[in-house]
Amino acid sequence: MSKKSKIFLSGVVEGFYGRPWTMTQRKELFSREQKWGLNTYLYAPKDDYKHRMYWRDLYSLEEADQLMTLISAAEEHHVEFIYALSPGLDITFSNPKEVAALKRKLSQVCEFGCRSFALLFDDIETEMCAADKEAFSSFAEAQVSVTNEVFRHLEEPEIFLFCPTDYCAAFCTPSVPLSSYLNTVGEKLNPAIDILWTGPKVVSNHISVASIEEVSSVLRRPPVIWDNIHANDYDPQRVFLGPFKNRPTELIPKLRGVLTNPNCEFEPNFVAVHTLATWCKSVSGQKDVSMDVEDQGSDYNPHEALQLALTDWLVEFGQADQPDGSRSRGSRSTRDASEEEPMQTDGYVPGPKDNPLYTAEPLTLSDLTLLSELFYLPYEHGPTALRMLQELHWLRSNSDAATFSTTATESEKVREWRQRAERFDDMCGAVVRMFNRLSNAPNRIILYDLYDYICDIKSGVTMARAFIKTLGGLTPHPAMIINDDPEPWGFRGGLSGEFQRMLPCHGNRDLFRSPPATRVYTIRPYTPKDQSEVLKLFNEMQSESQQKVELVGDRLVEGRVTPSQNCSVILEDVSGVCGYVFALTDAKTAVTEAQYPKTVLQDYPSVIAIQIRPNVPDPTAVKRLIAHVMSSLRDSGSSGVFCEFRCNDRRMLDFLKTLNLFQVLQVHGLPTDLVIMATKL
Ligand code: GDL
């Protein structure tokens, strides 16, 4: 460990892909950091030309001027400005000219008044070029050798950071302790250089003390966490407004620092940075650090930290900041709403029979809490969002109770359905009202940074609201009706959305809703060896439903009709085959149009047979099994699929309803003991 007494580095790394922050935003960040007690800013915007792509290029006079101003602004706010270069896209480590270019560039930044530096080797090709392979025995050796040399050239700055290529446990092969890359870095990188680490994964849900102890021992120094918990550069539909969370404060004495790499949009990071600051100040993290006990806060509670951040943020929303940089202080919303004068002045006063002027309702702390819960954290929705998902799920699964009732128990269920539908509608209403108040807030800068997201969630809940109305037998607004020809907001997400729906991981959203599986399952293609077990399961379940009507599925399972390619899949647990799905892309080859009306086969050209043992407790596993076959059907061009059940096969019918993959189809002219479920693909 270095001889120097080291302060805990806390603050922000501007290390995301996409549009870098402006100089004004960075200065605002320094001011906030100082106010909240954070001390570091790492300059590493991935898509800034001269940080990564053209790392060799020196700064022009004008750029130099801007950087100098920025560096002095950081100093004024007592924030350590660390300048990083990412040369890994194309550097030849063994070429002295390249090392000279690195030194020249960093020396130039040194002249701007910068004292702290970093070299970053994240997200690059790990294969060395021929020249480097001749000169170095490994990639780690190449990076370490150049980094050590540049460090010496800069006269060993007090703060110098290195980001390894394997910067999280998931990237280490075969494991953190056995990674030869990390071991070389740990052994050979100058011990006064600190190392960045993102935790178990690139975006780590939890970072445990044990995991940090493990990596520290390999790196031979405590790491600086580069925390991607609030980063959103990988998904344009998400922004993270939840609190810094799932990092025990006991980590603090075991780390060299924590820098958060947050959302690309500057303003929404108010919560990320504020809550990180609260975390850094918490008592258990500081008990090993010498400081006055009097000054210590209480231990960190993410919920409380969030409320503190949102309370301060609410004040910011009231400042009439405009994108052109102007601000009129003491603006409307900071005054009592009742004293507000309308904004549209110019002497216009509506007459007694005219339309009154539009007056904005002021934003509230509950609005901001709701906003944060809707856009919480990468692995977790906030409590309200979770409740909305669960309610929508319940309403969908129990939609048969929405419109009819014959017995007393059924009408009880109808009442429950209606009550819950109303509550769901209220929750959606709260989101829309929050959207309205937010979009009327005086601070247009914060609003514009959030706009796409709040607009997206408003449309999302509006669609869900309309869907529940339809289930309940009401008619939603025509623009919201989901039929065969919906408006484009009825099928959101563009091409990327299409891809996503085809991938098996699409069902991962269930992580937020369903408990984790209780057993280990295998989902695999059917082979002829499975035939006897499959038939056994088929016959057992057949006798359970004791009905004579013949299903297409029977013929598929018994091998009288051959399933289409990639359309026969087995679910297996420790006790053997516990489920199967067989499908036929073109159902017409197995049923006649005399059996099925033409329109059914047009809308749902494929047929699927599903059987699951009653003792399988994990719906998610079954969903994946079915999703697998549906994805094959979709790949072969099918636009819809139906499955047949005997009407007394209540168990399978109820089970499938809970999965919410199919709707019951009303088809006239079919045998009455047949139930058809179907879905579009
Ligand atoms: C990364 C990148 C980072 C990016 C983040 C989230 C590191 C060290 N590098 O892997 O630039 O913003 O993921 O997408 O985290």
Side-chain angles (χ1 to χ4, degrees), residues 15-17 44 46 122-123 163-164 167 171 196 198 202-203 226 228 231-234 261-262:
F16 46 82
Y17 292 87
K46 280 275 186 306
D122 55 321
D123 296 359
C163 182
Y167 51 83
F171 287 4
L196 291 155
T198 65
V202 177
V203 180
W226 166 312
N228 286 322
N232 71 341
D233 53 1
Y234 52 84
N261 176 39

Side-chain angles (χ1 to χ4, degrees), residues 106-162:
L106 293 180
S107 296
Q108 188 194 24
V109 179
C110 211
E111 283 164 23
F112 303 159
C114 182
R115 294 286 158 264
S116 302
F117 297 91
L119 283 182
L120 312 181
F121 296 102
D122 55 321
D123 296 359
I124 55 171
E125 273 303 317
T126 50
E127 182 72 15
M128 284 192 286
C129 64
D132 287 347
K133 275 187 190 154
E134 280 170 25
F136 299 107
S137 58
S138 69
F139 199 36
E141 293 271 358
Q143 293 176 0
V144 161
S145 147
V146 166
T147 306
N148 285 344
E149 189 174 337
V150 169
F151 177 65
R152 278 193 303 273
H153 169 80
L154 295 169
E155 298 174 8
E156 311 205 348
E158 268 210 35
I159 298 175
F160 193 104
L161 309 180
F162 168 89

Side-chain angles (χ1 to χ4, degrees), residues 606-681:
S606 306
V607 62
I608 195 166
I610 304 164
Q611 190 52 266
I612 305 295
R613 251 188 214 294
N615 63 355
V616 172
D618 300 306
T620 310
V622 178
K623 252 183 155 175
R624 296 238 160 92
L625 178 82
I626 299 173
H628 194 94
V629 173
M630 296 228 259
S631 144
S632 301
L633 292 174
R634 212 179 288 131
D635 288 348
S636 43
S638 173
S639 57
V641 60
F642 71 93
C643 47
E644 303 170 307
F645 290 94
R646 297 178 178 94
C647 70
N648 65 344
D649 193 357
R650 282 258 57 105
R651 184 185 64 82
M652 273 309 282
L653 283 167
D654 287 346
F655 181 64
L656 274 193
K657 262 191 226 158
T658 66
L659 299 187
N660 260 316
L661 294 171
F662 302 95
Q663 290 84 44
V664 175
L665 266 198
Q666 307 293 345
V667 185
H668 297 292
L670 285 186
T672 48
D673 45 5
L674 203 59
V675 177
I676 308 296
M677 294 181 99
T679 185
K680 295 272 186 194
L681 288 169

Side-chain angles (χ1 to χ4, degrees), residues 589-601:
T589 57
V591 296
T592 60
E593 276 177 16
Q595 283 171 293
Y596 275 90
K598 208 175 193 168
T599 48
V600 173
L601 294 176

